[in-house]
Amino acid sequence: MKHIKTIQKPGIKNTKNSGCGECQSSCQSACKTSCTVANQTCKQEEK
Amino acid sequence: MIHSFKFLDNYILTDVESGSIHLVDAATFQVINSPLPYSLGYDKAIVDEILSELSQLKEAGQYESEPVAVSLDYDVEKQPIKSLCLHVAHDCNLRCKYCFADTGEFEGARMLMSEGTAKQAIDFLIANSKNRKNLELDFFGGEPLMKFDVVKKTVEYGREQAKAHDKLINFTITTNGINLNTETADYINDNMFNVVISLDGRREVHDFMRPTANNKPSYDLIIEKAKRLISTRKGEYYIRGTFTAKNLDFASDVLALYNAGFKHISIEPVVLGENEPFALTNEHLPRIYDEYERLSNMIIANKLSGGDLNFFHFSVDFSHGPCLKRRIKGCGAGFEYVAVAPNGDVYPCHQFVGNEDFIMGNVGQGTKVNKEMQKEFMKCNVLTKQKCLDCFAKYFCSGGCAANAQKYNGSIYIPHEMTCELLKKRTECAMGIFAKTLNKGE
């Protein structure tokens, strides 16, 4: 493409096993006052 | 839904539902944002070319994607509680001027948690965790190291119970650092999965906002202890500060912390009512946006020169983040994450503690929890909050903070507008930094 360069392909996943709930609660990680979920990692991908 | 914006000299286009991110040229940026692209002054052939490329992206599911149908189970009987914030001390040895916890009291009396209540909280967590294997417990306050003995006993009991029930509890602690010494620091490094140490950045900013209980500066009481803890630490850590109307140049605080030797830094906007001293208001927004951009430039320069500065809110892995369901459900407050006060009362999260309308149970009275309230929090998500539906950042903030929504708007369903605006700006900055540092540094 001449006008558009894709730098990130679709990164929001809705796979069969998604929603397992094993990932870390975001508020426990660093903020404690504002909600930022997108910087949590997926426990299934860690395996 | 799409969102496009200019960040430094880049035009960035993101497809909200798929999470795709594209760099586009100026002509494409204009075409995307114009109802009459052929009237922009470009040759027809150029506009045709751009529209053709956008059409290809759409076919590939990376432009104007439709929302994926997600079915969420609101059966509260199946909902585990997996994460607990344990307020071992409603007392503090600092008197921070912006403290949402009322300098440790949480709108109640100063109070310390007993070992018995802490153990009951472990029982409560395990009993309500259902089939979840990975559980979390954060020692919080007030200042949790004021009850270090209870912290140690809780970890010991938690490990025993976790083993007996085939669970894994990750312990974390949020401390102001005053009571760090060789014993407490080594204990934290040996036992805590994550430690959050509160430091506001520059000495003068920190000392003004975070005096001791007898109104003395606290920076020098903490900084070397924090450095020592980090120097021997193998697990995660964050140095967490707060910015207020008094330090809108907070990028300088991030830099001060980095220059002091800390890599993992989070500086958060203060949560205060509009009329309170040091509160952030809508009038501050343009200045805060500029400051987030200044911080972004600092981080880009750092990364490009091989540095390792990690700012929490800009540290987003766009390819390996959480799944869609997690992004929709948010932080889990009130349904999978709860807080326990020193007297054993259970609240939806640490920010609700002290608001008696939100007591969900008491660990001293068994493991029962108010299911109706839990269900209300379960149902409160990106798909049910009207304001979130057409927000480009919805899968990054996941609906925002329920406590802020309640505090400012009287409903967990109505996000606090200024918090939304800050989150949107931070999301743009994270994408902008990603674009600028692609294949460089980390």
Side-chain angles (χ1 to χ4, degrees):
Chain A
M1 289 192 193
K2 275 171 66 178
H3 302 276
I4 304 171
K5 180 185 173 193
T6 297
I7 57 173
Q8 177 59 59
K9 290 191 171 174
I12 294 179
K13 303 169 292 294
N14 187 31
T15 54
K16 192 180 168 189
N17 295 322
S18 71
C20 74
E22 295 290 356
C23 53
Q24 190 184 9
S25 289
S26 51
C27 230
Q28 303 282 54
S29 49
C31 54
K32 286 283 186 185
T33 52
S34 63
C35 189
T36 303
V37 169
N39 51 14
Q40 300 302 313
T41 53
C42 175
K43 280 278 176 190
Q44 293 191 35
E45 289 192 357
E46 275 181 9
K47 286 175 186 171
Chain B
M1 190 196 331
I2 59 158
H3 176 67
S4 59
F5 59 98
K6 190 174 184 206
F7 184 84
L8 304 178
D9 57 347
N10 279 337
Y11 294 100
I12 296 174
L13 164 65
T14 180
D15 180 43
V16 174
E17 297 296 336
S18 72
S20 309
I21 305 171
H22 316 280
L23 282 176
V24 301
D25 59 18
T28 305
F29 184 75
Q30 286 183 281
V31 165
I32 290 166
N33 289 291
S34 171
L36 300 165
Y38 289 102
S39 306
L40 290 168
Y42 293 106
D43 285 350
K44 180 179 178 301
I46 298 282
V47 178
D48 283 345
E49 206 168 61
I50 290 168
L51 292 175
S52 167
E53 290 188 13
L54 290 171
S55 177
Q56 287 174 52
L57 276 189
K58 190 167 180 172
E59 276 190 30
Q62 297 178 32
Y63 180 71
E64 293 184 334
S65 303
E66 292 297 323
V68 176
V70 175
S71 66
L72 296 175
D73 189 349
Y74 292 131
D75 183 352
V76 73
E77 298 301 330
K78 293 186 199 162
Q79 176 61 48
I81 292 173
K82 65 164 189 178
S83 188
L84 199 145
C85 183
L86 195 67
H87 292 229
V88 289
H90 273 188
D91 197 357
C92 191
N93 35 27
L94 293 184
R95 294 292 181 268
C96 305
K97 292 174 180 166
Y98 46 63
C99 184
F100 75 88
D102 194 21
T103 67
E105 294 179 25
F106 285 85
E107 297 175 15
R110 296 194 182 274
M111 192 175 181
L112 303 172
M113 183 175 275
S114 70
E115 183 185 328
T117 301
K119 286 181 175 176
Q120 286 167 336
I122 293 281
D123 295 340
F124 174 92
L125 175 64
I126 287 180
N128 282 292
S129 64
K130 298 194 164 54
N131 60 347
R132 288 287 186 278
K133 168 104 176 159
N134 293 294
L135 312 181
E136 295 150 32
L137 188 143
D138 187 44
F139 293 101
F140 198 62
E143 170 47 42
L145 288 183
M146 291 178 82
K147 281 303 275 181
F148 183 50
D149 56 333
V150 170
V151 170
K152 285 194 291 187
K153 292 283 184 189
T154 310
V155 170
E156 188 183 334
Y157 182 71
R159 292 244 161 86
E160 280 170 26
Q161 293 302 308
K163 193 175 177 188
H165 294 86
D166 192 27
K167 306 281 182 183
L168 181 69
I169 303 179
N170 283 318
F171 293 98
T172 61
I173 190 163
T174 302
T175 175
N176 63 27
I178 292 285
N179 284 4
L180 283 177
N181 53 37
T182 307
E183 184 194 5
T184 53
D186 287 350
Y187 184 83
I188 286 170
N189 280 346
D190 289 343
N191 292 282
M192 301 292 167
F193 173 77
N194 190 10
V195 55
V196 179
I197 302 173
S198 302
L199 268 171
D200 276 357
R202 289 164 291 180
R203 178 196 300 268
E204 62 273 23
V205 171
H206 180 98
D207 280 343
F208 178 80
M209 279 294 170
R210 301 178 67 82
T212 62
N214 55 358
N215 203 26
K216 301 278 191 233
S218 67
Y219 183 87
D220 283 336
L221 301 177
I222 302 163
I223 187 75
E224 293 305 323
K225 297 172 186 174
K227 283 184 191 174
R228 185 198 166 274
L229 183 146
I230 299 312
S231 71
T232 55
R233 182 154 183 83
K234 294 190 175 68
E236 295 180 10
Y237 78 87
Y238 265 95
I239 301 297
R240 185 223 181 277
T242 299
F243 75 87
T244 71
K246 197 161 169 63
N247 62 319
L248 296 174
D249 58 345
F250 56 87
S252 297
D253 294 296
V254 176
L255 190 62
L257 290 169
Y258 184 68
N259 288 339
F262 304 111
K263 295 176 186 172
H264 305 290
I265 299 164
S266 174
I267 298 282
E268 301 276 333
V270 74
V271 182
L272 285 172
E274 242 180 38
N275 298 320
E276 295 180 67
F278 318 118
L280 300 171
T281 64
N282 287 333
E283 286 74 49
H284 294 127
L285 281 176
R287 176 69 186 87
I288 297 172
Y289 293 163
D290 286 348
E291 194 63 10
Y292 275 130
E293 288 191 13
R294 188 167 83 93
L295 179 56
S296 301
N297 272 315
M298 281 165 41
I299 289 172
I300 290 165
N302 178 270
K303 275 188 189 291
L304 295 182
S305 62
D308 52 8
L309 169 54
N310 170 32
F311 182 68
F312 179 69
H313 285 301
F314 293 167
S315 173
V316 179
D317 183 344
F318 291 103
S319 57
H320 294 97
C323 64
L324 181 58
K325 279 188 180 170
R326 175 66 200 278
R327 290 172 190 266
I328 289 170
K329 289 178 178 177
C331 68
F335 62 97
E336 65 175 24
Y337 166 61
V338 297
V340 177
N343 66 357
D345 282 344
V346 179
Y347 291 88
C349 83
H350 57 288
Q351 297 245 15
F352 280 98
V353 170
N355 184 343
E356 293 184 353
D357 293 341
F358 284 88
I359 293 176
M360 301 178 75
N362 185 292
V363 298
Q365 294 164 13
T367 56
K368 280 189 181 169
V369 64
N370 181 334
K371 296 284 181 190
E372 271 186 37
M373 195 182 295
Q374 195 183 11
K375 187 165 188 172
E376 199 56 32
F377 276 86
M378 269 177 94
K379 284 161 59 184
C380 180
N381 59 49
V382 161
L383 302 181
T384 57
K385 290 181 193 175
Q386 204 59 36
K387 261 183 87 173
C388 298
L389 292 174
D390 60 355
C391 175
F392 86 90
K394 61 185 176 181
Y395 296 136
F396 293 91
C397 96
S398 304
C401 172
N404 281 0
Q406 182 67 35
K407 180 184 172 89
Y408 290 105
N409 294 327
S411 165
I412 60 172
Y413 284 90
I414 308 173
H416 177 226
E417 191 175 345
M418 200 177 70
T419 307
C420 293
E421 295 310 310
L422 295 180
L423 194 290
K424 284 189 262 188
K425 183 64 185 178
R426 292 198 299 255
T427 303
E428 288 187 352
C429 290
M431 287 183 186
I433 292 167
F434 173 66
K436 279 284 180 190
T437 57
L438 215 54
N439 305 322
K440 290 164 188 155
E442 285 185 354

